[in-house]
Amino acid sequence: MSDQVLLSARGLTKRFGAVTVVDDVTFDVARGEVLGILGPNGAGKTTLFNLISGDHAANGGELSLDGSHLQAEPPFKRCQRGIGRTYQVPQPFGDMTAFENLMVPAMLSAKMKEAEASDYCAGILADCGLLARANTLAGGLTLLDRKRLELARALAGKPKLLLLDEIAGGLTDAEGAELVELIRRLRDRGVTIIWIEHVLHALMAVADRVLVLNFGVKIAEGTPDTVMQDPEVQRVYMGIEA
Ligand SMILES: Nc1ncnc2c1ncn2[C@@H]1O[C@H](COP(=O)(O)OP(=O)(O)OP(=O)(O)O)[C@@H](O)[C@H]1O
């Protein structure tokens, strides 16, 4: 495998009962790349993330990170190997402060000592626009701040591969532009990103490549321009008939 490849997925398959929701999906993610994932509701995008993070076990296929297999690793091991993710519904520890929420992955996943973790987490809170909320209990944050905290928590584990699941929804244009800038900065620092997003203009502003799923099947993969001009993508995702 090329040294350029960070994550490799081969024939990934997930079934729920008789329904195949991720169907023989193969793709690579290069180091330092932002790969966008598009597809209609129910296409299998979040399930694909669950297979990568280990929240769900695959029924078939192979996954490797940095050239070594992931399938047998439980989710916490995958975090320690450098996979961080956000969830569509933010899942903070509600009775801990925003800062404490970050200290957990910084110390447990990224294995930082307390003093280093503390500095690192303060930097992330600043990057994510949450420094003023550092001592607020996560359960008392607004929805927008909970979404920011979800991203900050994923970053606190120092991921080399960051999985972002629809983090731009509900943001104002200015907040969306800030988010795109933050994602660019993360990529410039060497974080590889896979981003599921329905807010197309945000995704297209930063994605190097895009992969499109429909009914669990990969129907297109390529540069944003190429993919958006693909007649099948236009039909499936945008309802445009040729
Ligand atoms: N735990 C589960 N048990 C049974 N079916 C599931 C489970 N999780 C997801 N599904 C089904 O798998 C299909 C794919 O769901 P998934 O959430 O991956 O789609 P998605 O592309 O992320 O959709 P959205 O854009 O709406 O978030 C859907 O039909 C969903 O109902």
Side-chain angles (χ1 to χ4, degrees):
M1 181 194 306
S2 154
D3 281 354
Q4 296 304 312
V5 174
L6 178 64
L7 182 85
S8 167
R10 292 286 168 276
L12 269 192
T13 298
K14 178 66 185 175
R15 288 186 286 274
F16 291 114
V19 183
T20 303
V21 298
V22 174
D23 194 350
D24 197 17
V25 172
T26 290
F27 63 98
D28 288 333
V29 189
R31 281 172 215 287
E33 174 174 52
V34 178
L35 175 70
I37 308 267
L38 284 179
N41 293 117
K45 305 178 299 295
T46 296
T47 304
L48 182 66
F49 270 12
N50 287 334
L51 299 181
I52 298 170
S53 64
D55 290 58
H56 288 160
N59 295 106
E62 290 183 0
L63 259 181
S64 61
L65 185 76
D66 270 329
S68 69
H69 286 294
L70 272 180
Q71 287 103 304
E73 312 264 25
F76 81 93
K77 277 273 184 201
R78 298 189 196 196
C79 287
Q80 289 177 349
R81 283 192 54 189
I83 298 180
R85 74 169 290 181
T86 68
Y87 290 85
Q88 264 180 42
V89 179
Q91 306 194 344
F93 301 112
D95 54 358
M96 292 168 78
T97 66
F99 178 74
E100 289 164 346
N101 263 275
L102 268 56
M103 288 294 278
V104 175
M107 294 180 72
L108 295 185
S109 296
K111 307 268 187 207
M112 284 180 247
K113 298 271 185 265
E114 190 171 349
E116 184 195 358
S118 177
D119 288 348
Y120 183 72
C121 293
I124 291 175
L125 285 172
D127 274 345
C128 295
L130 276 175
L131 204 48
R133 302 277 174 274
N135 297 317
T136 303
L137 290 181
L141 292 173
T142 62
L143 177 62
L144 174 61
D145 282 342
R146 284 211 301 279
K147 289 182 90 166
R148 289 177 165 146
L149 181 60
E150 185 68 9
L151 172 58
R153 268 163 34 98
L155 288 172
K158 271 205 175 163
K160 50 181 142 180
L161 175 65
L162 178 61
L163 310 176
L164 301 175
D165 197 348
E166 291 189 38
I167 55 170
L171 302 188
T172 64
D173 286 351
E175 289 161 354
E178 258 179 51
L179 179 66
V180 164
E181 272 319 302
L182 173 59
I183 290 172
R184 285 203 179 107
R185 284 204 301 279
L186 294 171
R187 176 180 55 189
D188 292 347
R189 286 179 211 159
V191 182
T192 303
I193 295 168
I194 311 180
W195 186 6
I196 296 172
E197 190 52 73
H198 286 296
V199 181
L200 266 185
H201 63 88
L203 185 67
M204 293 302 164
V206 69
D208 299 301
R209 282 190 312 127
V210 176
L211 182 159
V212 186
L213 290 178
N214 188 36
F215 291 115
V217 175
K218 180 176 84 173
I219 60 165
E221 184 181 12
T223 62
D225 283 351
T226 316
V227 163
M228 296 320 283
Q229 283 163 19
D230 182 306
E232 194 179 1
V233 173
Q234 294 190 349
R235 185 179 61 77
V236 162
Y237 193 61
M238 291 177 276
I240 300 171
E241 294 291 344

